[in-house]
Amino acid sequence: MEKWRAADRLLKFSSSCKSKQGKYFYSVATTVHRNPLFSSISPDDISYFKTILGERGVVQDALALDAANTDWMGKYRGSSKLLLQPKNTEEVSQILKYCNSRCLAVVPQGGNTGLVGGSVPVFDEVIINVGLMRNILSFDKVIVSGVLVCEAGCILENLISFLDDEGFIMPLDLGAKGSCQIGGNVSTNAGGLRLLRYGSLHGSVLGLEAVLANGTVLDMLGTLRKDNTGYDLKHLFIGSEGSLGIVTKVSILTPPKLSSVNIAFLACEDYTSCQKLLLEAKKKLGGILSAFEFLDSDAMSLVLKHLDGVRNPLPPSIHNFYILIETTGSNETFDKENLEAFLLHSVESGLVANGVLAQDINQASSFWHIREGLPEALMKAGAVYKYDLSLPLEKMYDLVEEMRVQIGPAAKVVAYGHLGDGNLHLNISAPAYDDNILAKIEPFVYEWTSKNRGSISAEHGLGLMKAAKIHYSKSPETVRLMIDFDYCVFELLPDTSCLDDNHSIICLCLSA
Ligand code: MLT
Ligand code: ZN
């Protein structure tokens, strides 16, 4: 399955962003060659897949294939001739078993909203899209456990609405919620806007079901909070980007919905104030703090320019930094007073230059729209080089400033992210993709991150973009263990003849 492609993905790297096949990956050092050990689709394969999935589950239509071959940013493009749409776990298992026996490379796909080239084929892999597997299987609210069990293809926003009606919330929220799917979210360990409050998916996913490359179904779909019977293998699938198997079902712990939500949009004049404000927010708002997001002045200008209907919440000027704070609690009066007092104190102490508290739900969504609309605004602005980094908070904005010096006037450096989680989204926005700009960004950005003991992927995964860069964040021994582990899973398979010595755990992801 996925790892077959990974095997050849790591074969050769060069310092050019154009591969010999003429593929342009907008990231330095990613030249990949198709592994000749992989088979190509034959008419017999198509007939076989039709016996499993019926005519409708076997898609060869050019338009549909074009969409499935291309990622959301239009940066990564495969040339798959076949898209399979299984309706249940058994069908996924049959597909993988067959592909394994035929040495057909596959790529799992969800909502195809990933940002690192992990959700689309590199060459002609069979695309297995789990989007038809979208049933909610159970929701246990009777004993107030709040455990939701659903299939991998459920769209995140649909789960959010379902839970809202039941009086619960998803512990995960992303700008891409309208398209991304829970299986992809789990496979990429998506972080999002409320990780600060509800933690990562390693905490809220209680269990999952996954299908291995040989078709074996692993039932780890527990719903228990505690289970210490041996290795907790589900964690290996959370964030493994499809390298170990396709996640088909998920059980997830969801918190009860709280009635009082307040949002403030604030301006700070320097980055030190943003950091101090975060510390203060943690101290003063404590348990009710549910989001602490930031954007800089270039990010704000970009949104105002490219997103329809967005207005500057703190006119007339543009400030250096903006912070969006959300609180979620159960006491309307107390929570609001608490946030107001915090804001007043922050203004008086000089940390905040200006600020506004959302007066109604429309104003609250307009604040969120500014932050969530940034990826779209960047796409509208032209070419964008995206870096999703975890960094020590105090160093985070130094990188942005150094990058501005490094790049010069050729491109805009736009910064935003999940400040509360130490997660910077560093974006370099240019009129068009340009090798000279790229040469100024990479490897500088990775070296800087590594030197400061950060991570080159905070929440987006490695994908094709960063598979070969893992060494910037993981020691050789750690990478070796990952590779050994990956082999270990694979050696359970009846036929590993498709693999070669470059076989590696590092591969593309099942997109959110
Ligand atoms: C976000 O936080 O908006 C997403 O991770 C997407 C992005 O990095 O642009
Ligand atoms: Zn993010």
Side-chain angles (χ1 to χ4, degrees):
M1 57 171 293
E2 186 73 20
K3 41 184 67 70
W4 297 343
R5 292 187 310 148
D8 63 314
R9 185 142 320 129
L10 293 187
L11 279 178
K12 291 218 164 50
F13 306 108
S14 80
S15 59
S16 159
C17 44
K18 278 194 181 128
S19 78
K20 287 200 178 115
Q21 292 89 348
K23 282 179 179 267
Y24 198 136
F25 294 125
Y26 310 98
S27 177
V28 170
T30 310
T31 299
V32 289
H33 299 272
R34 188 185 189 281
N35 185 337
L37 293 171
F38 297 141
S39 312
S40 295
I41 298 280
S42 71
D44 284 352
D45 297 329
I46 303 288
S47 308
Y48 179 76
F49 289 129
K50 284 184 180 168
T51 62
I52 305 174
L53 306 172
E55 291 282 336
R56 290 181 64 188
V58 180
V59 181
Q60 292 176 283
D61 165 70
L63 264 183
L65 279 171
D66 191 46
N69 268 305
T70 314
D71 78 316
W72 180 77
M73 294 179 294
K75 279 187 179 182
Y76 300 89
R77 189 178 291 269
S79 53
S80 175
K81 301 277 179 295
L82 185 61
L83 165 66
L84 300 179
Q85 297 181 306
K87 291 181 293 306
N88 52 50
T89 304
E90 184 48 34
E91 290 182 358
V92 175
S93 165
Q94 284 177 283
I95 293 168
L96 288 177
K97 191 169 178 193
Y98 180 80
C99 289
N100 189 42
S101 70
R102 279 271 298 118
C103 263
L104 285 169
V106 306
V107 55
Q109 188 176 74
N112 196 7
T113 61
L115 298 169
V116 288
S119 57
V120 290
V122 181
F123 299 107
D124 56 348
E125 301 92 305
V126 176
I127 303 168
I128 303 177
N129 188 300
V130 296
L132 294 183
M133 298 171 59
R134 52 189 175 215
N135 292 310
I136 290 176
L137 302 172
S138 65
F139 179 62
D140 184 0
K141 62 175 180 176
V142 180
I143 52 167
V144 207
S145 76
V147 178
L148 172 78
V149 183
C150 65
E151 289 183 312
C154 288
I155 289 177
L156 181 59
E157 193 160 59
N158 295 344
L159 295 177
I160 292 172
S161 310
F162 169 84
L163 289 169
D164 190 59
D165 293 344
E166 300 287 345
F168 285 76
I169 58 163
M170 270 307 265
L172 173 75
D173 192 6
L174 313 176
K177 57 182 155 261
S179 309
C180 67
Q181 298 171 6
I182 192 68
N185 296 148
V186 169
S187 298
T188 57
N189 190 22
L193 304 161
R194 298 206 171 91
L195 187 137
L196 174 71
R197 171 72 168 267
Y198 301 109
S200 93
L201 287 172
H202 281 289
S204 29
V205 170
L206 298 180
L208 54 81
E209 177 190 81
V211 185
L212 300 182
N214 64 351
T216 301
V217 178
L218 284 189
D219 179 356
M220 302 177 284
L221 198 60
T223 55
L224 305 171
R225 291 297 300 274
K226 298 175 94 173
D227 175 9
N228 270 357
T229 48
Y231 303 141
D232 200 345
L233 291 179
K234 69 168 183 284
H235 288 295
L236 290 169
F237 288 80
I238 302 171
S240 62
E241 303 186 54
S243 59
L244 300 176
I246 298 185
V247 171
T248 43
K249 290 182 188 135
V250 175
S251 100
I252 185 157
L253 184 65
T254 71
K257 181 166 79 180
L258 300 178
S259 57
S260 126
V261 179
N262 289 293
I263 290 154
F265 202 87
L266 314 176
C268 294
E269 289 315 354
D270 55 66
Y271 180 68
T272 307
S273 301
C274 297
Q275 289 178 75
K276 286 186 181 160
L277 193 68
L278 173 62
L279 188 64
E280 283 300 299
K282 283 185 175 169
K283 278 195 209 154
K284 303 253 165 54
L285 302 170
I288 63 169
L289 183 64
S290 52
F292 195 101
E293 297 288 309
F294 96 110
L295 50 144
D296 69 5
S297 57
D298 282 314
M300 177 58 103
S301 305
L302 196 91
V303 168
L304 293 175
K305 184 163 173 201
H306 294 285
L307 290 193
D308 292 340
V310 173
R311 286 187 306 134
N312 181 356
L314 300 170
S317 59
I318 299 281
H319 295 271
N320 291 334
F321 295 93
Y322 294 92
I323 304 285
L324 187 155
I325 292 182
E326 182 192 76
T327 63
T328 307
S330 49
N331 187 327
E332 201 97 21
T333 318
F334 173 81
D335 292 350
K336 196 157 189 185
E337 280 173 9
N338 199 357
L339 183 58
E340 276 167 354
F342 167 74
L343 295 183
L344 191 66
H345 177 76
S346 306
V347 173
E348 282 170 359
S349 63
L351 288 184
V352 163
N354 200 354
V356 55
L357 203 62
Q359 294 306 310
D360 55 37
I361 182 105
N362 293 332
Q363 205 176 8
S365 11
S366 73
F367 293 171
W368 268 119
H369 186 48
I370 292 172
R371 169 60 189 87
E372 290 183 290
L374 270 156
E376 190 191 333
L378 278 160
M379 289 296 295
K380 288 186 172 163
V384 57
Y385 298 91
K386 292 184 91 65
Y387 299 89
D388 160 44
L389 311 165
S390 265
L391 287 167
L393 210 61
E394 66 281 7
K395 302 263 178 64
M396 192 186 270
Y397 208 73
D398 292 350
L399 172 60
V400 181
E401 281 163 352
E402 286 186 39
M403 185 60 87
R404 284 196 175 115
V405 175
Q406 174 90 355
I407 297 271
K412 277 231 160 315
V413 179
V414 173
Y416 57 93
H418 316 289
L419 198 71
D421 310 322
N423 182 180
L424 169 71
H425 292 317
L426 176 70
N427 293 264
I428 290 94
S429 169
Y433 290 106
D434 178 342
D435 281 359
N436 294 322
I437 295 179
L438 184 56
K440 288 181 179 161
I441 307 172
E442 297 185 19
F444 171 77
V445 65
Y446 295 128
E447 285 170 355
W448 201 99
T449 303
S450 182
K451 199 174 68 201
N452 288 286
R453 295 193 67 83
S455 169
I456 60 156
S457 177
E459 60 169 8
H460 292 173
L462 293 169
L464 181 59
M465 179 185 174
K466 290 177 279 186
K469 316 284 191 322
I470 191 170
H471 60 277
Y472 285 108
S473 290
K474 293 280 191 297
S475 69
E477 296 75 19
T478 314
V479 174
R480 184 70 248 166
L481 189 60
M482 288 188 193
I483 293 170
D484 289 349
F485 177 77
D486 200 30
Y487 261 118
C488 183
V489 172
F490 246 64
E491 273 160 10
L492 298 173
L493 304 182
D495 175 9
T496 54
S497 58
C498 311
L499 303 177
D500 62 23
D501 287 346
N502 292 290
H503 169 62
S504 159
I505 193 173
I506 303 153
C507 70
L508 303 192
C509 63
L510 171 62
S511 154

